[in-house]
Amino acid sequence: MASEKQRTAPSSVAHWIAPSILSADFARLGDEVRSVLAAGADLIHFDVMDNHYVPNLTVGPLVCEAIRPHCKVPIDVHLMVKPVDRIIPDFAAAGASIISFHPEASEHVDRTIALIREHGCQPGLVFNPATPLDYLDYTLEYLDMVLIMSVNPGFGGQKFIPTTLRKLTDARRRIEAAGCAVRLEVDGGIKTDNIRAAAQAGADTFVAGSAIFGSRDYARTIREMRQQIAL
Ligand code: DX5
Ligand code: ZN
């Protein structure tokens, strides 16, 4: 809750790498999750698409529950579904740690944030490339995560949208001004050659799907990403 949040200096915030299983081999999902954790992942990013809010269809609470025993790290559920409230208790019961949603997909954003918290999970709010940050005006203190989309949601393997960097800077400024311990995550088109720019713009949590699962050596890719953001 807002009153329990602590002030956090940006320099003291650890960088987290969050592989998106959207680009994993779904026929071997348990192995893929174990491999990417052994390779040094900090979170598992779990993309939920409904073929309604976004034009693609992926996985739901059953798959979250199936991978939970294989995850020693938090599961970072990214809901790209509309409506959102009905499915939140199911993801909480399936072992989700963080649950993020798009404000356009909820009729009552404040209520959805509270619902996620009531079910014992950490709420996050997600901003599409053209969505302004105004939704944070009266919600930031209740959030644990702000997720800035650097592609339009729906598919892995898309190209990073450059205006995201300016938006990350704006979001970081808001978080600093509020003095809240809120993570700032970036999602879409993150590779070893642009992760540094995202970190310099203020991101501390980095989703990467195709860059990690499309590489031969997950550990090497994650190590290279960490080297880039440590510079
Ligand atoms: C897109 C998803 C992303 C996606 C990222 O809608 O939210 O998490 O998996 O994939 P890459 O890293 O390949 O852009
Ligand atoms: Zn995502």
Side-chain angles (χ1 to χ4, degrees), residues 51-228:
N51 190 36
H52 170 66
Y53 179 64
V54 291
N56 200 357
L57 188 61
T58 60
V59 288
L62 283 177
V63 176
C64 184
E65 190 176 1
I67 67 165
R68 181 70 271 181
H70 304 276
C71 288
K72 301 274 184 280
V73 302
I75 300 179
D76 174 31
V77 173
H78 175 190
L79 294 180
M80 288 160 275
V81 303
K82 185 176 182 177
V84 287
D85 291 5
R86 222 298 295 142
I87 204 78
I88 283 168
D90 296 10
F91 272 103
S97 313
I98 302 161
I99 300 180
S100 299
F101 68 99
H102 292 247
E104 299 92 339
S106 169
E107 295 294 338
H108 305 281
V109 172
D110 181 83
R111 178 179 286 154
T112 303
I113 292 169
L115 185 66
I116 293 168
R117 183 83 66 194
E118 279 161 22
H119 283 82
C121 297
Q122 297 181 297
L125 202 56
V126 192
F127 293 84
N128 283 334
T131 303
L133 294 174
D134 302 8
Y135 282 104
L136 293 177
D137 287 352
Y138 303 102
T139 60
L140 184 56
E141 63 215 275
Y142 303 119
L143 296 172
D144 284 301
M145 178 84 89
V146 172
L147 200 177
I148 304 295
M149 292 304 299
S150 35
V151 298
N152 287 293
F155 302 95
Q158 301 181 80
K159 201 168 175 311
F160 183 89
I161 297 173
T163 51
T164 305
L165 295 177
R166 186 155 51 86
K167 200 170 193 179
L168 284 169
T169 303
D170 288 349
R172 171 55 66 196
R173 197 177 297 128
R174 281 175 179 259
I175 290 168
E176 292 308 308
C180 297
V182 181
R183 306 267 337 167
L184 181 56
E185 184 171 46
V186 60
D187 182 6
I190 293 292
K191 314 280 177 199
T192 52
D193 64 4
N194 62 9
I195 193 169
R196 187 177 178 190
Q200 286 175 336
D204 56 35
T205 305
F206 307 86
V207 177
S210 49
I212 293 174
F213 286 106
S215 69
R216 280 180 178 277
D217 185 339
Y218 301 167
R220 181 177 173 179
T221 306
I222 291 176
R223 195 164 54 242
E224 285 176 3
M225 288 180 163
R226 286 200 200 284
Q227 284 166 356
Q228 285 296 320

